[in-house]
Amino acid sequence: MKIVVILISTFFLPLILFCQDRQFVIHNTVFTITADSVKNEWNTYDKINKLYRKENGKLNYLLTYYTYRDEGGDCNNSFWHEETLEIKNDSLVFLTHYYQHTGLDPIPEWRKQIYKVSGQGRLNRVYDKEKYYGRKKWIQTGSAAVAGN
């Protein structure tokens, strides 16, 4: 009996804990984040989070971000990134840290995106900049846009 409990705890408890949703409220709008682990083409697992806005009891998809993503590589280098979400007042701050095995490719090391939540629960991207390795200055990436509206 003890072995059965250990087996169940070892195999199923992490799945149950990993699949739980996270909710938060901004401007009386409920947001939900779902987490999933998906096998990718490199035979590793990406950790994917999806952000939804709850409207009339239904989840309205807004965007996807990766807490871990294996981007594979070529014969000279391998790439991956990790992304975090921080909630600051009425804004969502996404910070992406890009990694590479050799450090030789000219890719950004960091990307920061800030989405301001309107009174109606809409996301408006107000900041989108990158920073390269060894540099102090953030530079503009894509143009400010509206997401998931």
Side-chain angles (χ1 to χ4, degrees):
M1 181 64 176
K2 191 174 184 179
I3 293 174
V4 172
V5 171
I6 291 171
L7 287 174
I8 290 172
S9 298
T10 303
F11 293 108
F12 295 109
L13 189 58
L15 292 174
I16 293 167
L17 293 175
F18 187 71
C19 294
Q20 291 183 358
D21 295 346
R22 178 176 154 211
Q23 290 191 345
F24 59 94
V25 177
I26 299 177
H27 296 308
N28 296 319
T29 300
V30 177
F31 293 91
T32 299
I33 298 172
T34 62
D36 200 4
S37 182
V38 177
K39 190 172 186 177
N40 58 40
E41 64 187 284
W42 314 107
N43 288 322
T44 61
Y45 287 86
D46 295 332
K47 296 177 184 172
I48 301 172
N49 286 0
K50 291 187 179 181
L51 177 67
Y52 298 88
R53 177 179 52 239
K54 195 168 190 177
E55 297 176 301
N56 301 320
K58 294 182 181 179
L59 295 179
N60 180 24
Y61 170 78
L62 299 175
L63 57 84
T64 297
Y65 66 99
Y66 291 82
T67 56
Y68 175 82
R69 183 172 187 186
D70 183 346
E71 297 180 42
D74 54 29
C75 61
N76 298 317
N77 209 350
S78 57
F79 307 92
W80 66 99
H81 73 263
E82 296 174 345
E83 193 166 9
T84 59
L85 166 61
E86 183 180 355
I87 301 161
K88 286 189 171 183
N89 301 318
D90 64 350
S91 296
L92 307 179
V93 179
F94 293 92
L95 187 61
T96 307
H97 191 182
Y98 297 98
Y99 298 91
Q100 58 178 306
H101 184 70
T102 65
L104 299 175
D105 284 279
I107 64 169
E109 182 180 16
W110 295 96
R111 181 177 184 188
K112 183 188 259 187
Q113 299 175 80
I114 302 174
Y115 291 86
K116 189 171 181 74
V117 179
S118 73
Q120 295 77 34
R122 304 291 188 246
L123 301 183
N124 298 304
R125 188 168 52 191
V126 296
Y127 185 95
D128 189 359
K129 293 190 177 185
E130 295 175 333
K131 188 167 69 164
Y132 284 80
Y133 182 76
R135 306 254 175 101
K136 293 181 182 179
K137 188 175 182 180
W138 290 86
I139 59 172
Q140 190 69 35
T141 57
S143 61
V146 177
N149 292 308

